[in-house]
Amino acid sequence: MKMEFVEIGGKQYPLRFGIGAAKAMSEKFGSLEKMADLFNELSESEIIDILIWLLEVLIGQGCAYKNIFEADLPIPE
């Protein structure tokens, strides 16, 4: 799987979508499809809340992966 990075406040954070992220989304919304469907029904503020939560999940998964498998590798520029 490929790792992506997002810059927040001048710092790079790893993003990773894996089984753990899919499980968290499924537990919160019932399924990945239901989560996608919600974007048509919710207000902009509610969508932003979901996106912030999703970003937290993906960063958490990315950090966990790096800590386990890439702890000794430098962060890409």
Side-chain angles (χ1 to χ4, degrees):
M1 287 188 173
K2 189 174 179 183
M3 180 95 61
E4 295 293 332
F5 289 82
V6 63
E7 184 175 328
I8 301 173
K11 183 174 178 181
Q12 295 283 337
Y13 293 90
L15 300 176
R16 184 162 173 91
F17 181 85
I19 293 172
K23 180 181 177 191
M25 286 184 239
S26 183
E27 287 174 351
K28 185 170 179 83
F29 301 103
S31 72
L32 299 179
E33 292 81 18
K34 287 181 184 176
M35 182 183 136
D37 292 341
L38 280 176
F39 284 94
N40 295 323
E41 302 170 9
L42 299 176
S43 70
E44 187 174 304
S45 177
E46 293 169 317
I47 292 171
I48 290 170
D49 288 341
I50 289 173
L51 293 175
I52 291 169
W53 173 84
L54 181 57
L55 188 58
E56 291 173 356
V57 168
L58 297 176
I59 289 173
Q61 291 290 298
C63 289
Y65 180 88
K66 287 196 72 59
N67 287 338
I68 293 169
F69 298 107
E70 299 180 3
D72 57 340
L73 298 177
I75 296 173
E77 295 297 323

